[in-house]
Amino acid sequence: MKNKINIENWDRKKQFLFFSGFTNPYASVTSVLNVDKIVRIAKKYKISFYGIMSYVVLKTINEIEAFKYVLEENNIYKYDKINASFSTLDSTNAIKFSRTVDYVSNFKDFILLFQQAKSEAENSTNIPYKKDFNKCYFTCLPWMRFTAIENTMNYKNQDSIPRVCWGKYFLENNQYMIDLSIQCNHAFQDGYHMGLFFNNLQENINMFDYE
């Protein structure tokens, strides 16, 4: 469900008009997260760490109101739910992109949808295209750490889709940590909202329970 926003009455009107006029209105922040709990859960229950991370990130985005506002064909809408599409590799290590996976609050339901979309992307050359706007993009670099990342963008066609990437988890003081980057359209989210995202994401990781 979505509701069209009247920009004249929108409390972000000034910020939207200012940043949307930029050639590159996107801002990116990278920070380190403690993922010890979910790494150990993934290992114990033999669950995809990629799937768990996708779930906690998407859950966090859906809990923050600022991420519910979406640029859709020159109009702004507020959606009830934000979904996700993610990258994966096929058997030749060629990059593939999944269909949009709906956000569901129950992890066990979500991981089934995630695994189905991942398998479909890895084994098919014909992924049905869905013209949707209420989504975010996930990817990971499990081979290395990073301190920053810049996403490929078509600046001729601006969107409000957050792009999230995380790297290889590593041990620090016997705790698993990870580098994670989020890129947002500054017309919709500010540094405050990205800070809120990282704080809430860490809480959701700490509270995650598979049993």
Side-chain angles (χ1 to χ4, degrees):
M1 182 177 176
K2 65 181 181 180
N3 293 307
K4 189 174 182 179
I5 301 300
N6 181 348
I7 191 172
E8 296 302 323
N9 300 325
W10 191 30
D11 58 4
R12 277 195 67 85
K13 175 185 175 181
K14 290 182 179 179
Q15 293 90 338
F16 174 81
L17 293 177
F18 179 72
F19 288 112
S20 61
F22 284 28
T23 303
N24 175 11
Y26 303 96
S28 179
V29 173
T30 302
S31 190
V32 180
L33 292 163
N34 184 320
V35 291
D36 192 73
K37 183 175 185 180
I38 59 176
V39 169
R40 298 187 189 280
I41 287 175
K43 291 176 179 290
K44 178 180 179 179
Y45 294 101
K46 296 179 171 59
I47 307 169
S48 163
F49 176 75
Y50 194 10
I52 298 178
M53 277 297 294
S54 295
Y55 170 77
V56 291
V57 171
L58 191 56
K59 173 179 170 62
T60 303
I61 285 175
N62 274 280
E63 290 173 345
I64 301 174
E65 183 179 358
F67 286 97
K68 299 290 187 70
Y69 292 93
V70 173
L71 182 62
E72 182 173 330
E73 296 180 335
N74 298 318
N75 292 307
I76 302 169
Y77 293 88
K78 184 179 181 183
Y79 275 83
D80 289 340
K81 181 172 68 171
I82 303 299
N83 303 312
S85 175
F86 57 90
S87 67
T88 187
L89 299 179
D90 67 12
S91 59
T92 68
N93 289 323
I95 192 168
K96 297 291 185 71
F97 301 98
S98 79
R99 57 178 167 81
T100 303
V101 177
D102 287 347
Y103 169 67
V104 290
S105 59
N106 182 280
F107 171 72
K108 292 182 179 179
D109 292 336
F110 175 84
I111 197 66
L112 289 176
L113 297 174
F114 177 88
Q115 290 169 335
Q116 290 169 359
K118 186 171 183 290
S119 177
E120 179 185 85
E122 291 169 347
N123 295 287
S124 174
T125 57
N126 184 24
I127 303 298
Y129 175 71
K130 181 181 179 182
K131 191 175 183 181
D132 50 357
F133 300 88
N134 60 319
K135 61 184 176 184
C136 44
Y137 292 141
F138 296 160
T139 191
C140 64
L141 297 172
W143 314 279
M144 61 184 179
R145 293 192 57 188
F146 59 83
T147 55
I149 188 169
E150 184 174 349
N151 293 285
T152 55
M153 301 286 299
N154 181 359
Y155 295 120
K156 294 179 181 178
N157 300 312
Q158 291 187 9
D159 62 54
S160 60
I161 299 174
R163 290 155 170 84
V164 183
C165 177
W166 52 90
K168 177 182 181 180
Y169 56 73
F170 58 94
L171 277 171
E172 185 175 279
N173 298 323
N174 205 35
Q175 295 277 302
Y176 284 105
M177 312 291 286
I178 208 165
D179 305 300
L180 183 141
S181 169
I182 183 168
Q183 179 176 302
C184 302
N185 187 327
H186 211 334
F188 289 84
Q189 294 93 22
D190 303 318
Y192 167 79
H193 304 107
M194 290 190 280
L196 188 63
F197 166 80
F198 277 101
N199 290 335
N200 290 9
L201 176 56
Q202 186 64 72
E203 289 183 7
N204 282 327
I205 292 170
N206 295 345
M207 293 173 60
F208 182 82
D209 190 1
Y210 182 66
E211 294 180 346

